[in-house]
Amino acid sequence: MSAASSEQRNLLIGCGLVLLGALGFSAKAIFIKLAYAVEGQIDAISLMALRMFFSLPFFLVVALWHNRKSPAEALTKRQWGGVAVLGLMGYYIASYLDFIGLLYISAGLERIILFLYPTFVVLFSALAHKRGISLREMVALALSYAGMILVFIEQLSMESSGIWLGSSLVLAGAVVFAFFTMGSGVMGRRIGSARFTAYTMTIASIATLMHFAVNHGVALTGFPAEVYKQALLMAVFSTVLPSFFMNAGIRRIGAGPASIISMIGPIATLALAFLFLGEAVTIIQLSGTVFVLAGVYVVSRAKS
């Protein structure tokens, strides 16, 4: 096989892995909504605990494998502190806000709001480095926020009470995840993306299970079989596999192209919500989604 064909094959594999990862992450809200719809509704922290309980063994195996593979590359206390803070921010706090928010708003609106996090990265990076925002970035921000407001206003006329609370919680989760993204880029390069994912997810899993234990005790029993099914599917197909698919894909094609391919996420969520939840897909919702995606695309191109 020639070097050119090998490189092309590697590029295709990378694109495919990122696409699978994006589709997996986009299905998370669907699994959450299906679990919430089960009679005898489960609360947010219980569903999160089930998700993490099913996910944790996979991440522990990867973490142990990396430690055995590279024992000399032990993390310093400072690196462990950074990993712990980022794990709590990205996969515990941001996830908890997202899970609670989905009690009140549709999966489609949740994904559009959550997908604004790259624009927050632009804003926070500009503040952190005390630099101005370029015209290109301002256009991207305007497109993204206009799209979100468009969808929100339409949902406001359709949804029951709770849309303000749910949207605010998901928006707060997106802000926290933006900070996580800023820190994860640096830490991932230092210790390796796969090990970083395994460590941060393990820390978040432990925090989530401790939160559940404080609220409900240590027994993850007594839930309907359908809830366990949705939690297991979410753990495998919207947590474990997408995490490693995305990391492997980014290593092959780079973060810039990966972020652009990941833009399929909100569209996929709208389609899945229509198919499995019966959520309506309107022209205004599609238009708003296009605005958000256009803004994120401009941001991604500027960063890549």
Side-chain angles (χ1 to χ4, degrees):
M1 184 181 292
S2 66
S5 59
S6 178
E7 185 177 343
Q8 185 177 20
R9 180 173 176 272
N10 191 57
L11 181 64
L12 289 173
I13 292 173
C15 290
L17 287 170
V18 171
L19 182 61
L20 287 173
L23 292 174
F25 285 133
S26 70
K28 185 190 72 172
I30 310 303
F31 292 127
I32 294 172
K33 281 292 198 180
L34 289 172
Y36 283 161
V38 176
E39 188 177 353
Q41 182 172 297
I42 188 171
D43 66 352
I45 192 59
S46 298
L47 185 56
M48 267 186 70
L50 286 174
R51 173 206 188 192
M52 292 307 203
F53 177 77
F54 289 132
S55 303
L56 183 57
F58 297 96
F59 292 113
L60 283 174
V61 167
V62 173
L64 292 172
W65 180 76
H66 271 280
N67 283 343
R68 179 170 294 186
K69 179 184 175 185
S70 307
E73 298 178 11
L75 272 63
T76 65
K77 289 182 179 179
R78 183 167 184 169
Q79 287 175 328
W80 272 119
V83 167
V85 169
L86 290 170
L88 292 173
M89 287 177 62
Y91 299 122
Y92 169 59
I93 298 173
S95 289
Y96 186 49
L97 291 168
D98 186 47
F99 271 63
I100 299 176
L102 277 165
L103 286 167
Y104 304 102
I105 64 175
S106 67
L109 178 58
E110 177 264 359
R111 182 53 47 176
I112 291 170
I113 295 174
L114 199 59
F115 208 70
L116 291 173
Y117 80 88
T119 67
F120 298 143
V121 171
V122 170
L123 288 172
F124 300 149
S125 297
L127 288 172
H129 296 99
K130 296 179 180 179
R131 64 170 179 82
I133 298 175
S134 68
L135 179 60
R136 180 176 187 152
E137 289 172 334
M138 284 192 285
V139 170
L141 296 176
L143 283 170
S144 297
Y145 299 144
M148 191 272 288
I149 291 170
L150 191 65
V151 175
F152 179 80
I153 289 174
E154 184 194 40
Q155 294 282 311
L156 197 60
S157 64
M158 298 166 57
E159 296 271 350
S160 58
S161 61
I163 185 172
W164 282 99
L165 174 60
S167 299
S168 299
L169 288 166
V170 174
L171 187 64
V175 169
V176 174
F177 196 76
F179 283 113
F180 164 79
T181 302
M182 293 170 68
S184 65
V186 176
M187 191 61 69
R189 285 191 295 272
R190 287 178 182 170
I191 69 172
S193 58
R195 183 160 67 150
F196 174 76
T197 299
Y199 286 0
T200 51
M201 286 298 296
T202 298
I203 289 167
S205 297
I206 294 170
T208 301
L209 292 170
M210 289 176 63
H211 185 163
F212 172 82
V214 169
N215 282 20
H216 301 294
V218 297
L220 279 165
T221 57
F223 302 110
E226 182 65 19
V227 168
Y228 288 108
K229 172 187 168 184
Q230 297 301 333
L232 179 59
L233 290 172
M234 176 169 40
V236 174
F237 296 107
S238 290
T239 307
V240 176
L241 291 180
S243 297
F244 293 114
F245 283 161
M246 194 65 74
N247 281 330
I250 289 173
R251 282 201 304 272
R252 284 174 168 82
I253 67 174
S259 65
I260 294 170
I261 294 172
S262 298
M263 289 169 57
I264 191 68
I267 298 294
T269 300
L270 289 178
L272 291 170
F274 173 76
L275 291 173
F276 293 100
L277 303 176
E279 292 185 6
V281 179
T282 66
I283 295 297
I284 293 178
Q285 189 177 38
L286 287 174
S287 301
T289 302
V290 169
F291 276 20
V292 172
L293 294 182
V296 173
Y297 173 78
V298 173
V299 167
S300 300
R301 294 294 294 173
K303 290 165 62 180
S304 57

